[in-house]
């Protein structure tokens, strides 16, 4: 049995009605734009101030009550915890649905529930950022708890596109990291972003997504690939991403207008191993010397000087990079003597990070791999390259730089690609587990022996 409205709930209703009155006074529901109305699910984030959240739920409430037809339902979901925040079904009785004010008066519980959500706003600090949600868990909740038998809108309102779980830092989208296509194509057991076993989860859904500005993005290129990632992720689950905008009102405006066309034309590429690609990292990782900041490691002339021992044991501003020209895929793995291995499996450690060198690569979706280390003992560092995919005889070039001065050499893989199977044994023992691996001693490479 529904509980009676509390006096504070009634105050909330009156307050919201006053806020909306200037925009909707005497508005008759069912005028222009009603033909495009659909049942709607709205995802919002709990992270922000109570004032910010109250403003958000007012906008959401206005949109739902203005656009829903009699008999249709709108749901508001916490897209981080997956909890249902509030729901409203427009009455089929004309006196309760003919105007915005009538609809507001007919469902006091809807507004009371929204107000409670706003009052419980969570601070965006520590492991949480403003507008944060859990996109993988959210779409699974939508697909299982709110399946759409007919066309329906899914609105993500003022939410950040950066998924971050402190329990899995290697899969975080914070700091410019974007899951590659292999993550999208994978099964959930392989990647939290996987959609292989979720076909049809968003069937009949048109997704309208608005962020609150561009503060989440590290570069224009990063923003492009985040949009591409979500467009493909939604499409693989049977839905359509029609809006992805930094304008907070765009999602509501486009949904109301009935916009239902893909935001872009993207093709899912068949990558081999799920990798988090760091966009914008090349610029931030190379600011420590003028040469490194202005010139790619692949564009530099190679040094013929043999570094002294102290330069190796206390190497600063180090880059280790690989590139290749064949129809194949190489992976780079770097393990300092007292640290974890840096690779596509673990992009960042206390010693450094791996990123894709889009400045040099001819393939913006794959990129050549570079590990940046602010300080490391190169004399005890293991550097390994793996032919993940391709034919025997594939050639890979390795370059190592200290403060911009660069050494390099090409290597030929004699064995068959192993799909990374020898990774653990190679990095643990410091020698190739099979002929798909090459392990290089940095000291020997830089001394030319």
């Amino acid at each position: 049995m529904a509980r009676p409205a509390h006096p504070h709930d009634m105050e909330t209703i009156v307050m919201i009605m006053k806020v909306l009155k200037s925009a909707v006074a005497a508005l008759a529901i069912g005028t222009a734009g009603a033909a495009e109305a659909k049942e709607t699910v709205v995802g919002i984030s709990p992270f922000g101030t109570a004032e910010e959240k109250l403003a958000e739920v007012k906008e959401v409430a206005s949109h739902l009550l203005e656009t829903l037809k009699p008999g249709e339902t709108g749901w508001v979901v916490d897209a981080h915890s997956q909890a249902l925040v509030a729901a409203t079904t427009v009455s089929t009785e004309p006196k309760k649905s003919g105007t915005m004010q009538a609809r507001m008066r007919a469902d006091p519980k809807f507004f009371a529930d929204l107000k409670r959500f706003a009052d419980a706003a969570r601070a965006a600090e520590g492991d949480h950022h403003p507008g944060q949600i859990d996109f993988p868990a959210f779409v699974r909740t939508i697909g299982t708890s709110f399946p759409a038998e007919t066309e329906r809108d899914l609105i993500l309102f003022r939410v950040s596109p950066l998924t971050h779980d402190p329990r899995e830092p290697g899969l975080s989208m914070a700091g410019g990291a974007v899951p590659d296509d292999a993550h999208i194509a994978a099964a959930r057991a392989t990647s939290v972003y996987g959609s292989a076993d979720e076909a049809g989860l968003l069937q009949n859904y048109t997704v309208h997504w608005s962020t609150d500005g561009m503060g989440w993005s590290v570069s224009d290129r990063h923003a492009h690939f985040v949009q591409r990632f979500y467009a493909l992720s939604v499409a693989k689950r049977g839905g359509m991403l029609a809006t992805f905008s930094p304008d907070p009102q765009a999602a509501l405006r486009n949904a109301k207008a009935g916009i239902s066309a893909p935001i872009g034309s993207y093709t899912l590429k068949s990558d081999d191993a799920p990798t988090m690609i760091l966009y914008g990292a090349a610029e931030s990782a190379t600011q420590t010397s003028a040469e490194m900041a202005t010139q790619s490691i692949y564009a530099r002339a190679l040094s013929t000087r043999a570094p002294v021992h102290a330069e190796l044991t206390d190497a600063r501003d180090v880059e280790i990079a690989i590139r290749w020209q064949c129809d194949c895929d190489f992976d780079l793995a770097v393990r300092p003597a007292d640290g974890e291995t840096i690779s596509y499996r673990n992009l960042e450690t206390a010693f450094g990070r791996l990123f894709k060198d889009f400045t040099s690569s001819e393939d913006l979706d794959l990129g050549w791999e570079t590990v940046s280390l602010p300080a490391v003992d190169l004399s005890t560092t293991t550097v390994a390259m793996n032919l993940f995919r391709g034919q025997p005889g594939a050639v890979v070039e390795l370059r190592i730089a200290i403060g911009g001065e660069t050494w390099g050499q090409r290597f030929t893989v004699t064995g068959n690609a192993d799909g990374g199977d020898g990774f653990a044994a190679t990095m643990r023992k410091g020698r190739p587990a099979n002929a798909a691996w090459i392990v290089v001693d940095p000291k020997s490479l830089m001394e030319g022996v």
Side-chain angles (χ1 to χ4, degrees), residues 331-355:
D331 288 319
L332 173 65
V334 175
R335 181 175 60 81
D338 298 321
E340 300 175 86
T341 299
I342 305 169
S343 72
Y344 73 87
R345 303 183 181 201
N346 190 17
L347 293 177
E348 187 166 8
T349 74
F351 278 88
R353 68 191 309 187
L354 179 145
F355 58 87

Side-chain angles (χ1 to χ4, degrees), residues 237-258:
R237 293 174 170 91
M240 175 199 301
L241 182 66
T243 304
F244 189 79
S245 173
D247 175 5
Q249 299 303 318
L252 303 181
R253 184 171 60 247
N254 292 350
K256 183 178 179 181

